[in-house]
Amino acid sequence: MDNFDQKLGPDFFKNLSAEAVTPLNVVHEEIYESSSKRPKTTSKVWDIFEKLPAQQGDSKAICKLCRRIYTAKTTSGTSHLRRHIEACVKRGNHDVDPRSLEACFKPVKRDANRVTLSHDTLIAATTSLKNYKIDVDEIHRAIAMMIIVDEQPFTVVEEAGFRRLLGAACPEFPVLSRSSIKRDIISIYLKERENIRELLATCPGRICLTSGTWKSDCDDHFNCVSAHFIDHEWRLQKRILRFKLIPPPYDSLSVADEIALCMVQWNIEHKVFSITLENLSSDDCVADMLRSRLAVKKYLPCKGALFHVSCFFHILNSIVQAGLNLVVDILGKLRLGIKYVQQSPHRKKNFYIIAKTLNLDTQRKLCLDSPTKWNSTYNMIEVSLSYKNAFVYLAEQDKNFVHKLSGDEWEKMNVLYKFLKVFFEVTCVFFRNKQPTSNLYFRAAWKVHSRLFDMVRGPENFMTRTVREMHSKLNQYWSAYNLILSCAAILDPRYKIKFVEYCYTKLYGSGAQKYVSVSVNTLYGLFEEYMQNYARPSHATELSAATSKISNDKDDDGFEDYETFQSARFRTQVEKSQLDLYLEEPSHDLNSEMDVLEYWTLCSLRYPELSRMARDVLTIPVSTIASDSTFDIGPQVIGADRSSLKPKMLQALVCLQDWMLASDRTRGSGSMESRPEDDCSSSSGGDDDY
């Protein structure tokens, strides 16, 4: 450290904790227009408006056509008067000089530095004044959609600011109330519900359901049922179908009844392929009740072998939470240390100077975490570890820095960081993927399972006991659902059977072949059902039928069925199923970027029945959590404003918000929703203000 002290100089740490910041002498240069006086002109709006006598210094103007009164202060300009003339509903009933109207909207010519618009350009970019009409219904709908998507309270339409805005934009629009906007929302919901019903009825494949629990601030429990399906254009879709309050007790029977009622009301019982539930102790009972109900009606393919899945990210997040709970005190000290550096611009500047002198990378800045998103905690730990030497030096030189971590605590942070890294990388795959098809989960679950297995067999540390417990928990999940995950993985042209066999061999050694055989046999059994239900007569079958018809026209010589026997024998030796041909094709590169739905779209002509099966299997959602909420810790919560609404209104709002955002994603506009770009990355902090 002696050489380092010499680099910084003897006086560097004298004022390390000082709050004073040397002010920056910033020269603000503004370019103003020439102040040369221009001849004063009178606006042409006064051909249609008339000034009223001023009262207490407040000037007013009245429209000669509709008699509406507006402010006429000299500081207010005349733009609002021109807007009124454009929209004045009485203008069509009066004889107004067209030249006066034209002059109202003709921009005043300025000097060469100003951008000017000609009258023709303005007219071409706007609706003709004579034909302009206000679509009141469309404005009503737009306001209702704003409340739905942005989760605004109904009272927003009665607030002064909103009415002032609406009055300035459209003076003729009628005054809204919370009652009228509620009626609009219910009307929109009923109409959109029929559209969703038609969408589900006409979707070409099966429908997979997810059921999740939402909670309110009052600890009320709501059941949310969503439908997942692939549309005619091979796009994965999701729609919330039901959002209902579950009265106590919150048992498996109540949840099963809600889901069964939802299937009946939407008329999708015969199309249901699977259901994904939260990783709760009661889920098995719920799944068994629903499976029995559908099996009696013979709606489930493959005898329901692929029917029930538990949420992958619920167990993943519970493992992460268990790891974080082991170092709560250390994380608290780390947060206080980061706050100490960041709260003073002077200390912040000096900290990064220390880091640069120690040859540390300062492109990534210190960041605090959010308690509800564990990826932010991961980022905080990762960045802090890169500044470890700077923190150590700061603790040695600054006596006011009392939140220093010991060497053992830094080591624990390093162990935790390595533990969280695999979870972070796996979750990022789904966070960035707006269409997480089921083929992605086998590789992710195996990676986590393998990592925990290595830690259990590795050297002892402070996390070993917890890791053993979490590994046992994940092993139960893997044992229950690896069949579904492996079947979906085989239908990914990058993986197929060889990759699944490789992963099983890593885990089970010589016993892997048993698991591979179960997966392959299940797929072949499912494919046979699809062939029976969807296959069209093959060319050989049609030829056999034609031959039989011809032979019936001839004399019966005792050998009329020989050709049928021969062709059948030949087919068993030569013909291969679509699944056989697919599996025999060379696999794609393991790490290549691929849209698996696009692949099966292209294969739908070559493998028609197999592509139908692949579409349904790939639809299975292995998580009840939306891809943009995969890092969230804790249950999904409804805000206080919405949880106090009546059940029907709450369901309408939640469903409509989901439907509108889904429709927006399908169109690809992205205008209603946006996703933070840095939620999966460490804070890079572009600001250098220290």
Side-chain angles (χ1 to χ4, degrees):
M1 288 293 182
D2 295 338
N3 294 334
F4 179 66
D5 292 337
Q6 292 175 5
K7 288 183 182 179
L8 295 179
D11 299 328
F12 179 80
F13 285 97
K14 285 184 179 180
N15 300 317
L16 185 63
S17 303
E19 299 294 334
V21 182
T22 305
L24 300 177
N25 296 323
V26 182
V27 179
H28 297 280
E29 296 182 0
E30 301 286 352
I31 301 176
Y32 296 94
E33 296 180 35
S34 173
S35 60
S36 57
K37 295 183 179 180
R38 290 187 291 269
K40 196 171 183 179
T41 59
T42 302
S43 174
K44 292 297 182 180
V45 300
W46 301 114
D47 292 343
I48 298 175
F49 275 88
E50 178 182 356
K51 284 189 176 182
L52 299 176
Q55 296 180 358
Q56 298 179 353
D58 189 11
S59 300
K60 300 287 186 181
I62 186 170
C63 176
K64 297 177 183 179
L65 307 181
C66 66
R67 313 306 293 174
R68 288 180 70 96
I69 298 176
Y70 292 87
T71 183
K73 293 180 181 179
T74 55
T75 57
S76 300
T78 57
S79 298
H80 63 299
L81 304 181
R82 288 200 299 272
R83 287 195 297 270
H84 170 74
I85 295 172
E86 179 183 1
C88 184
V89 295
K90 299 291 185 181
R91 198 180 66 235
N93 300 328
H94 292 77
D95 295 329
V96 181
D97 186 356
R99 289 174 297 180
S100 297
L101 284 175
E102 181 177 335
C104 288
F105 303 103
K106 187 176 182 179
V108 180
K109 291 184 179 180
R110 305 297 186 191
D111 54 61
N113 292 328
R114 286 179 173 266
V115 178
T116 60
L117 291 174
S118 66
H119 173 67
D120 294 338
T121 303
L122 184 62
I123 293 300
T126 58
T127 308
S128 173
L129 295 179
K130 292 183 179 180
N131 298 328
Y132 181 80
K133 291 182 180 180
I134 298 174
D135 191 338
V136 176
D137 293 336
E138 188 60 31
I139 296 177
H140 265 280
R141 179 180 172 84
I143 295 172
M145 295 312 301
M146 178 196 74
I147 291 173
I148 293 166
V149 176
D150 296 338
E151 299 186 13
Q152 296 288 340
F154 296 126
T155 54
V156 69
V157 298
E158 297 177 349
E159 294 177 0
F162 179 83
R163 289 186 171 178
R164 187 180 297 112
L165 171 65
L166 198 58
C170 184
E172 292 75 25
F173 193 79
V175 176
L176 289 173
S177 66
R178 71 184 77 179
S179 299
S180 62
I181 206 68
K182 285 181 180 179
R183 289 194 296 269
D184 290 340
I185 289 174
I186 293 299
S187 176
I188 295 172
Y189 170 71
L190 295 176
K191 182 178 179 181
E192 291 297 326
R193 187 177 65 181
E194 294 307 311
N195 294 337
I196 301 299
R197 193 185 302 276
E198 179 67 19
L199 182 63
L200 295 177
T202 58
C203 74
R206 291 273 192 158
I207 296 171
C208 299
L209 301 179
T210 58
S211 173
T213 301
W214 292 49
K215 293 184 179 180
S216 69
D217 296 336
C218 304
D219 203 33
D220 291 327
H221 288 58
F222 296 84
N223 179 248
C224 179
V225 180
S226 302
H228 302 252
F229 57 95
I230 292 176
D231 62 17
H232 290 278
E233 298 182 18
W234 284 82
R235 294 175 301 196
L236 186 60
Q237 302 283 357
K238 185 214 104 179
R239 299 292 189 275
I240 293 179
L241 303 184
R242 188 175 180 84
F243 194 88
K244 287 291 186 178
L245 174 68
I246 302 179
Y250 315 115
D251 55 10
S252 55
L253 181 60
S254 301
V255 176
D257 286 343
E258 284 293 327
I259 299 172
L261 182 60
C262 175
M263 291 190 292
V264 172
Q265 289 181 340
W266 286 90
N267 192 28
I268 58 175
E269 270 190 312
H270 62 290
K271 302 191 75 171
V272 169
F273 187 79
S274 72
I275 184 162
T276 306
L277 303 171
E278 296 171 304
N279 194 33
L280 304 176
S281 58
S282 61
D283 285 352
D284 289 339
C285 295
V286 174
D288 290 341
M289 293 179 192
L290 295 174
R291 184 188 286 109
S292 300
R293 178 188 181 94
L294 297 176
V296 169
K297 300 179 181 180
K298 298 182 179 180
Y299 288 153
L300 293 180
C302 207
K303 298 180 180 179
L306 308 180
F307 177 66
H308 174 217
V309 193
S310 282
C311 178
F312 176 64
F313 285 108
H314 270 90
I315 189 170
L316 210 67
N317 289 340
S318 68
I319 295 174
V320 170
Q321 189 66 52
L324 294 175
N325 289 339
L326 295 175
V327 291
V328 171
D329 295 339
I330 303 176
L331 288 174
K333 289 175 65 175
L334 184 61
R335 293 186 187 101
L336 291 174
I338 295 173
K339 286 181 181 178
Y340 178 80
V341 172
Q342 291 185 330
Q343 283 176 347
S344 166
H346 188 71
R347 284 198 298 264
K348 190 175 180 181
K349 179 179 179 180
N350 290 338
F351 180 84
Y352 289 117
I353 292 175
I354 293 172
K356 287 181 179 179
T357 310
L358 291 172
N359 297 321
L360 302 179
D361 183 8
T362 59
Q363 292 297 314
R364 303 169 68 189
K365 305 303 180 184
L366 291 175
C367 56
L368 287 169
D369 63 336
S370 169
T372 60
K373 291 184 177 293
W374 69 263
N375 62 318
S376 64
T377 305
Y378 171 84
N379 289 332
M380 180 184 72
I381 295 171
E382 183 182 33
V383 175
S384 299
L385 285 171
S386 68
Y387 284 106
K388 173 186 173 182
N389 292 339
F391 275 113
V392 171
Y393 193 85
L394 179 64
E396 293 176 354
Q397 300 298 326
D398 185 0
K399 63 181 180 180
N400 294 322
F401 183 65
V402 296
H403 309 295
K404 60 182 180 181
L405 271 63
S406 65
D408 182 60
E409 288 173 332
W410 278 115
E411 181 60 28
K412 287 183 177 180
M413 284 290 97
N414 191 47
V415 172
L416 179 65
Y417 165 71
K418 292 178 180 178
F419 170 76
L420 294 177
K421 187 174 182 180
V422 65
F423 295 90
F424 179 78
E425 292 173 348
V426 164
T427 309
C428 278
V429 172
F430 298 93
F431 180 86
R432 297 191 181 106
N433 196 327
K434 293 184 178 181
Q435 290 188 331
T437 44
S438 57
N439 59 297
L440 301 175
Y441 287 90
F442 180 82
R443 185 174 182 175
W446 176 85
K447 191 174 182 180
V448 174
H449 190 282
S450 179
R451 174 61 177 156
L452 291 179
F453 192 48
D454 291 340
M455 290 189 70
V456 168
R457 294 182 299 178
E460 294 278 337
N461 57 55
F462 78 103
M463 294 189 67
T464 301
R465 182 178 177 182
T466 300
V467 168
R468 286 198 182 104
E469 295 175 358
M470 294 300 102
H471 178 260
S472 175
K473 189 174 182 179
L474 183 63
N475 195 43
Q476 292 177 7
Y477 180 91
W478 176 262
S479 300
Y481 306 113
N482 72 82
L483 173 62
I484 297 175
L485 303 183
S486 60
C487 287
I490 292 173
L491 294 173
D492 187 322
R494 294 167 295 186
Y495 303 153
K496 297 190 177 180
I497 295 177
K498 282 298 180 184
F499 178 76
V500 171
E501 185 178 1
Y502 165 83
C503 293
Y504 279 138
T505 303
K506 284 283 188 178
L507 291 177
Y508 305 117
S510 58
Q513 194 57 43
K514 177 182 67 173
Y515 294 91
V516 176
S517 299
V518 172
S519 300
V520 173
N521 292 337
T522 301
L523 267 185
Y524 271 95
L526 182 62
F527 177 68
E528 286 299 323
E529 290 189 25
Y530 275 79
M531 287 296 295
Q532 294 173 11
N533 295 332
Y534 299 108
R536 293 169 295 181
S538 64
H539 177 70
T541 305
E542 292 174 351
L543 182 60
S544 174
T547 305
S548 176
K549 185 177 185 303
I550 294 173
S551 65
N552 289 336
D553 295 336
K554 298 180 180 180
D555 294 334
D556 186 4
D557 60 357
F559 298 100
E560 65 276 1
D561 58 346
Y562 174 72
E563 291 184 2
T564 303
F565 170 80
Q566 186 181 33
S567 62
R569 184 73 175 268
F570 178 75
R571 285 201 306 274
T572 57
Q573 296 175 354
V574 178
E575 283 191 4
K576 294 183 178 180
S577 70
Q578 298 171 25
L579 183 55
D580 291 329
L581 295 174
Y582 162 74
L583 293 175
E584 289 176 0
E585 289 180 354
S587 299
H588 291 236
D589 182 65
L590 181 63
N591 296 313
S592 61
E593 293 291 332
M594 171 181 285
D595 184 347
V596 70
L597 294 183
E598 182 180 354
Y599 170 85
W600 283 108
T601 305
L602 300 175
C603 291
S604 58
L605 293 178
R606 190 162 36 128
Y607 306 136
E609 287 74 40
L610 182 61
S611 65
R612 284 176 177 268
M613 185 186 80
R615 176 179 56 204
D616 294 341
V617 173
L618 294 173
T619 305
I620 299 175
V622 191
S623 173
T624 60
I625 303 174
S627 60
D628 54 357
S629 302
T630 49
F631 287 107
D632 291 358
I633 296 176
Q636 293 176 291
V637 179
I638 306 171
D641 290 338
R642 291 206 164 182
S643 60
S644 62
L645 297 173
K646 293 181 179 180
K648 288 185 178 180
M649 178 57 71
L650 178 60
Q651 176 171 258
L653 289 172
V654 172
C655 290
L656 277 175
Q657 184 187 50
D658 176 75
W659 298 346
M660 294 303 105
L661 293 177
S663 177
D664 192 62
R665 285 193 298 268
T666 301
R667 291 194 301 270
S669 60
S671 58
M672 284 189 180
E673 70 170 350
S674 60
R675 176 179 294 192
E677 295 295 332
D678 59 343
D679 278 356
C680 254
S681 61
S682 301
S683 174
S684 57
D687 58 318
D688 287 327
D689 57 352
Y690 299 120

PDB file of all heavy atoms in Angstrom, residues 326-342:
ATOM      1  N   LEU A 326     -29.266 -17.025   4.020  1.00  0.00           N
ATOM      2  CA  LEU A 326     -28.089 -17.406   4.802  1.00  0.00           C
ATOM      3  C   LEU A 326     -27.150 -16.240   5.058  1.00  0.00           C
ATOM      4  O   LEU A 326     -26.315 -16.306   5.973  1.00  0.00           O
ATOM      5  CB  LEU A 326     -27.323 -18.526   4.081  1.00  0.00           C
ATOM      6  CG  LEU A 326     -28.042 -19.871   3.925  1.00  0.00           C
ATOM      7  CD1 LEU A 326     -27.197 -20.824   3.082  1.00  0.00           C
ATOM      8  CD2 LEU A 326     -28.335 -20.489   5.285  1.00  0.00           C
ATOM      9  N   VAL A 327     -27.263 -15.200   4.256  1.00  0.00           N
ATOM     10  CA  VAL A 327     -26.311 -14.076   4.365  1.00  0.00           C
ATOM     11  C   VAL A 327     -27.049 -12.747   4.508  1.00  0.00           C
ATOM     12  O   VAL A 327     -26.593 -11.724   4.000  1.00  0.00           O
ATOM     13  CB  VAL A 327     -25.370 -14.045   3.137  1.00  0.00           C
ATOM     14  CG1 VAL A 327     -24.413 -15.222   3.154  1.00  0.00           C
ATOM     15  CG2 VAL A 327     -26.179 -14.032   1.841  1.00  0.00           C
ATOM     16  N   VAL A 328     -28.175 -12.758   5.189  1.00  0.00           N
ATOM     17  CA  VAL A 328     -28.964 -11.531   5.340  1.00  0.00           C
ATOM     18  C   VAL A 328     -28.147 -10.430   6.006  1.00  0.00           C
ATOM     19  O   VAL A 328     -28.151  -9.266   5.566  1.00  0.00           O
ATOM     20  CB  VAL A 328     -30.244 -11.828   6.153  1.00  0.00           C
ATOM     21  CG1 VAL A 328     -30.952 -10.530   6.509  1.00  0.00           C
ATOM     22  CG2 VAL A 328     -31.178 -12.730   5.368  1.00  0.00           C
ATOM     23  N   ASP A 329     -27.414 -10.768   7.073  1.00  0.00           N
ATOM     24  CA  ASP A 329     -26.626  -9.762   7.796  1.00  0.00           C
ATOM     25  C   ASP A 329     -25.508  -9.194   6.921  1.00  0.00           C
ATOM     26  O   ASP A 329     -25.249  -7.984   6.936  1.00  0.00           O
ATOM     27  CB  ASP A 329     -26.040 -10.375   9.072  1.00  0.00           C
ATOM     28  CG  ASP A 329     -27.113 -10.785  10.070  1.00  0.00           C
ATOM     29  OD1 ASP A 329     -28.233 -10.246   9.957  1.00  0.00           O
ATOM     30  OD2 ASP A 329     -26.836 -11.637  10.931  1.00  0.00           O
ATOM     31  N   ILE A 330     -24.842 -10.068   6.165  1.00  0.00           N
ATOM     32  CA  ILE A 330     -23.743  -9.598   5.305  1.00  0.00           C
ATOM     33  C   ILE A 330     -24.283  -8.699   4.198  1.00  0.00           C
ATOM     34  O   ILE A 330     -23.687  -7.662   3.872  1.00  0.00           O
ATOM     35  CB  ILE A 330     -22.986 -10.799   4.714  1.00  0.00           C
ATOM     36  CG1 ILE A 330     -22.459 -11.695   5.834  1.00  0.00           C
ATOM     37  CG2 ILE A 330     -21.835 -10.326   3.840  1.00  0.00           C
ATOM     38  CD1 ILE A 330     -21.777 -12.957   5.344  1.00  0.00           C
ATOM     39  N   LEU A 331     -25.413  -9.077   3.609  1.00  0.00           N
ATOM     40  CA  LEU A 331     -26.018  -8.241   2.567  1.00  0.00           C
ATOM     41  C   LEU A 331     -26.413  -6.883   3.127  1.00  0.00           C
ATOM     42  O   LEU A 331     -26.285  -5.852   2.447  1.00  0.00           O
ATOM     43  CB  LEU A 331     -27.243  -8.943   1.978  1.00  0.00           C
ATOM     44  CG  LEU A 331     -26.972 -10.161   1.085  1.00  0.00           C
ATOM     45  CD1 LEU A 331     -28.281 -10.840   0.695  1.00  0.00           C
ATOM     46  CD2 LEU A 331     -26.207  -9.743  -0.165  1.00  0.00           C
ATOM     47  N   GLY A 332     -26.880  -6.853   4.386  1.00  0.00           N
ATOM     48  CA  GLY A 332     -27.224  -5.583   5.015  1.00  0.00           C
ATOM     49  C   GLY A 332     -26.015  -4.687   5.162  1.00  0.00           C
ATOM     50  O   GLY A 332     -26.087  -3.469   4.888  1.00  0.00           O
ATOM     51  N   LYS A 333     -24.879  -5.243   5.586  1.00  0.00           N
ATOM     52  CA  LYS A 333     -23.650  -4.443   5.698  1.00  0.00           C
ATOM     53  C   LYS A 333     -23.184  -3.959   4.333  1.00  0.00           C
ATOM     54  O   LYS A 333     -22.712  -2.821   4.197  1.00  0.00           O
ATOM     55  CB  LYS A 333     -22.559  -5.285   6.363  1.00  0.00           C
ATOM     56  CG  LYS A 333     -22.788  -5.560   7.843  1.00  0.00           C
ATOM     57  CD  LYS A 333     -21.732  -6.489   8.407  1.00  0.00           C
ATOM     58  CE  LYS A 333     -20.353  -5.861   8.381  1.00  0.00           C
ATOM     59  NZ  LYS A 333     -19.346  -6.729   9.030  1.00  0.00           N
ATOM     60  N   LEU A 334     -23.309  -4.817   3.316  1.00  0.00           N
ATOM     61  CA  LEU A 334     -22.885  -4.434   1.968  1.00  0.00           C
ATOM     62  C   LEU A 334     -23.722  -3.268   1.450  1.00  0.00           C
ATOM     63  O   LEU A 334     -23.187  -2.322   0.849  1.00  0.00           O
ATOM     64  CB  LEU A 334     -22.998  -5.634   1.039  1.00  0.00           C
ATOM     65  CG  LEU A 334     -22.510  -5.431  -0.398  1.00  0.00           C
ATOM     66  CD1 LEU A 334     -21.033  -5.075  -0.422  1.00  0.00           C
ATOM     67  CD2 LEU A 334     -22.764  -6.687  -1.237  1.00  0.00           C
ATOM     68  N   ARG A 335     -25.029  -3.307   1.690  1.00  0.00           N
ATOM     69  CA  ARG A 335     -25.900  -2.206   1.263  1.00  0.00           C
ATOM     70  C   ARG A 335     -25.508  -0.894   1.945  1.00  0.00           C
ATOM     71  O   ARG A 335     -25.462   0.167   1.304  1.00  0.00           O
ATOM     72  CB  ARG A 335     -27.361  -2.540   1.558  1.00  0.00           C
ATOM     73  CG  ARG A 335     -27.919  -3.689   0.731  1.00  0.00           C
ATOM     74  CD  ARG A 335     -29.408  -3.867   0.976  1.00  0.00           C
ATOM     75  NE  ARG A 335     -29.927  -5.059   0.332  1.00  0.00           N
ATOM     76  CZ  ARG A 335     -30.166  -6.206   0.962  1.00  0.00           C
ATOM     77  NH1 ARG A 335     -29.942  -6.305   2.275  1.00  0.00           N
ATOM     78  NH2 ARG A 335     -30.630  -7.255   0.300  1.00  0.00           N
ATOM     79  N   LEU A 336     -25.242  -0.961   3.249  1.00  0.00           N
ATOM     80  CA  LEU A 336     -24.855   0.250   3.978  1.00  0.00           C
ATOM     81  C   LEU A 336     -23.523   0.792   3.467  1.00  0.00           C
ATOM     82  O   LEU A 336     -23.330   2.016   3.385  1.00  0.00           O
ATOM     83  CB  LEU A 336     -24.766  -0.058   5.472  1.00  0.00           C
ATOM     84  CG  LEU A 336     -26.094  -0.352   6.179  1.00  0.00           C
ATOM     85  CD1 LEU A 336     -25.847  -0.792   7.623  1.00  0.00           C
ATOM     86  CD2 LEU A 336     -27.011   0.863   6.149  1.00  0.00           C
ATOM     87  N   GLY A 337     -22.605  -0.096   3.123  1.00  0.00           N
ATOM     88  CA  GLY A 337     -21.331   0.349   2.574  1.00  0.00           C
ATOM     89  C   GLY A 337     -21.498   1.050   1.240  1.00  0.00           C
ATOM     90  O   GLY A 337     -20.857   2.075   0.967  1.00  0.00           O
ATOM     91  N   ILE A 338     -22.353   0.500   0.386  1.00  0.00           N
ATOM     92  CA  ILE A 338     -22.604   1.133  -0.917  1.00  0.00           C
ATOM     93  C   ILE A 338     -23.284   2.486  -0.726  1.00  0.00           C
ATOM     94  O   ILE A 338     -22.949   3.474  -1.403  1.00  0.00           O
ATOM     95  CB  ILE A 338     -23.454   0.199  -1.792  1.00  0.00           C
ATOM     96  CG1 ILE A 338     -22.669  -1.079  -2.129  1.00  0.00           C
ATOM     97  CG2 ILE A 338     -23.886   0.897  -3.076  1.00  0.00           C
ATOM     98  CD1 ILE A 338     -23.484  -2.134  -2.841  1.00  0.00           C
ATOM     99  N   LYS A 339     -24.249   2.551   0.205  1.00  0.00           N
ATOM    100  CA  LYS A 339     -24.913   3.827   0.477  1.00  0.00           C
ATOM    101  C   LYS A 339     -23.921   4.866   0.973  1.00  0.00           C
ATOM    102  O   LYS A 339     -24.010   6.047   0.610  1.00  0.00           O
ATOM    103  CB  LYS A 339     -26.024   3.623   1.517  1.00  0.00           C
ATOM    104  CG  LYS A 339     -27.260   2.920   0.994  1.00  0.00           C
ATOM    105  CD  LYS A 339     -28.311   2.780   2.096  1.00  0.00           C
ATOM    106  CE  LYS A 339     -29.549   2.060   1.581  1.00  0.00           C
ATOM    107  NZ  LYS A 339     -30.561   1.883   2.660  1.00  0.00           N
ATOM    108  N   TYR A 340     -22.980   4.445   1.826  1.00  0.00           N
ATOM    109  CA  TYR A 340     -21.983   5.382   2.356  1.00  0.00           C
ATOM    110  C   TYR A 340     -21.185   6.012   1.226  1.00  0.00           C
ATOM    111  O   TYR A 340     -20.907   7.215   1.239  1.00  0.00           O
ATOM    112  CB  TYR A 340     -21.052   4.643   3.317  1.00  0.00           C
ATOM    113  CG  TYR A 340     -19.952   5.501   3.888  1.00  0.00           C
ATOM    114  CD1 TYR A 340     -20.191   6.370   4.951  1.00  0.00           C
ATOM    115  CD2 TYR A 340     -18.660   5.450   3.356  1.00  0.00           C
ATOM    116  CE1 TYR A 340     -19.187   7.165   5.466  1.00  0.00           C
ATOM    117  CE2 TYR A 340     -17.646   6.237   3.863  1.00  0.00           C
ATOM    118  CZ  TYR A 340     -17.915   7.096   4.927  1.00  0.00           C
ATOM    119  OH  TYR A 340     -16.917   7.893   5.433  1.00  0.00           O
ATOM    120  N   VAL A 341     -20.821   5.212   0.240  1.00  0.00           N
ATOM    121  CA  VAL A 341     -20.055   5.732  -0.895  1.00  0.00           C
ATOM    122  C   VAL A 341     -20.918   6.632  -1.771  1.00  0.00           C
ATOM    123  O   VAL A 341     -20.485   7.702  -2.218  1.00  0.00           O
ATOM    124  CB  VAL A 341     -19.475   4.566  -1.723  1.00  0.00           C
ATOM    125  CG1 VAL A 341     -18.836   5.085  -3.009  1.00  0.00           C
ATOM    126  CG2 VAL A 341     -18.462   3.787  -0.904  1.00  0.00           C
ATOM    127  N   GLN A 342     -22.158   6.223  -2.010  1.00  0.00           N
ATOM    128  CA  GLN A 342     -22.992   6.929  -2.980  1.00  0.00           C
ATOM    129  C   GLN A 342     -23.636   8.198  -2.436  1.00  0.00           C
ATOM    130  O   GLN A 342     -23.983   9.088  -3.214  1.00  0.00           O
ATOM    131  CB  GLN A 342     -24.091   5.993  -3.502  1.00  0.00           C
ATOM    132  CG  GLN A 342     -23.577   4.869  -4.388  1.00  0.00           C
ATOM    133  CD  GLN A 342     -24.699   4.042  -4.968  1.00  0.00           C
ATOM    134  OE1 GLN A 342     -25.764   3.899  -4.360  1.00  0.00           O
ATOM    135  NE2 GLN A 342     -24.478   3.459  -6.134  1.00  0.00           N
TER     136      GLN A 342
END
